[in-house]
Amino acid sequence: MSKRIGFVGVGRMGANMARRLHDLKYPVTVVYDINQKVAEEVAKEIGAEATTKLARVTELADVIFTVVSDDAAMYKIFAKNGDSLLIGAKGKIFINTATVSPKTHIEIGKLCEEVGAEAIEACMASSIPQARNGTLYFMLGGKKQVIDEVEPILKDMSSSRRYCGELGSAAKVKALVNMVMNINTAALAEGLGLAKALNLDLNMIREVFSQTGANSRVLETDGEDMQNREHTCFFSAEHALKDSGIALNLAKEAGLNLPLAQATYNQYQRLVKKGFGQYDKSAISELTFPDRHGLDKD
């Protein structure tokens, strides 16, 4: 019999991961979200139970995916006291997908071991469409034998997987991925913003960029959106700020100065303060185009 699967966090990513597994006939038995209405909607769609208790998730599932926002949320759902995923968790496997600091993954892993459970990292370098169609890219960390045990599930959710090492390793790799992605996004916004200020045709500029050293994955995903001010959220500016902060903290611990990462962090911090935190990261272009918010005084 297939392992029963639960989800904690069924926002844009978690919901589509749950839908994908449901489509493949996996027994997704229970979902939880701080937004109960969202949980109920997803549960109704996939035939799962929507619970308001974390302990109920652990009771009804053998493998639990956690898809939460930040370090604080991770510690809350794995609390030592009160309602928690750790209650009755012996023998359960937690697949933690959130982009949080490496030390959080390590500490959560220790808490799980104390109650006889296992935790692994499955950090994702993909977005909502990939979650829905099963083409996520997973960076995996933790005990290899535990990852091997849930490999069939992960395989059906992804196009590729990379084992990074012990618990905490995948979070380090993910921090680097998002740091570079965010720098590229900020750089593209500046390039297109300057092109606009120089009265150049932006369609032409994007085509030239695509054929030269200015090309990037971000150009493909965000270039046209920046030009058209289409900032429907696939990866929020708020998350870009958080993730750049994780990378900067790692750099500080390593004794490195990363001026580009710091400048990008500062730009996203400015963007969030202007009220664009829930917009897509492409909204950073609002700070660089001459006819937009970049000319406002902070």
Side-chain angles (χ1 to χ4, degrees), residues 131-151:
R132 187 66 184 88
N133 61 30
T135 56
L136 292 168
Y137 181 86
F138 281 127
M139 290 156 280
L140 304 171
K143 295 177 183 177
K144 193 65 169 60
Q145 65 270 29
V146 179
I147 292 173
D148 289 343
E149 187 173 345
V150 294
E151 168 71 12

Side-chain angles (χ1 to χ4, degrees), residues 249-283:
N249 286 335
L250 291 173
K252 184 178 181 180
E253 292 171 4
L256 291 180
N257 177 38
L258 303 180
L260 293 179
Q262 184 65 60
T264 300
Y265 176 88
N266 293 344
Q267 279 290 81
Y268 273 112
Q269 186 176 57
R270 183 177 171 217
L271 185 67
V272 170
K273 285 181 178 179
K274 283 180 174 288
F276 286 84
Q278 296 302 310
Y279 287 69
D280 191 78
K281 64 181 173 62
S282 63

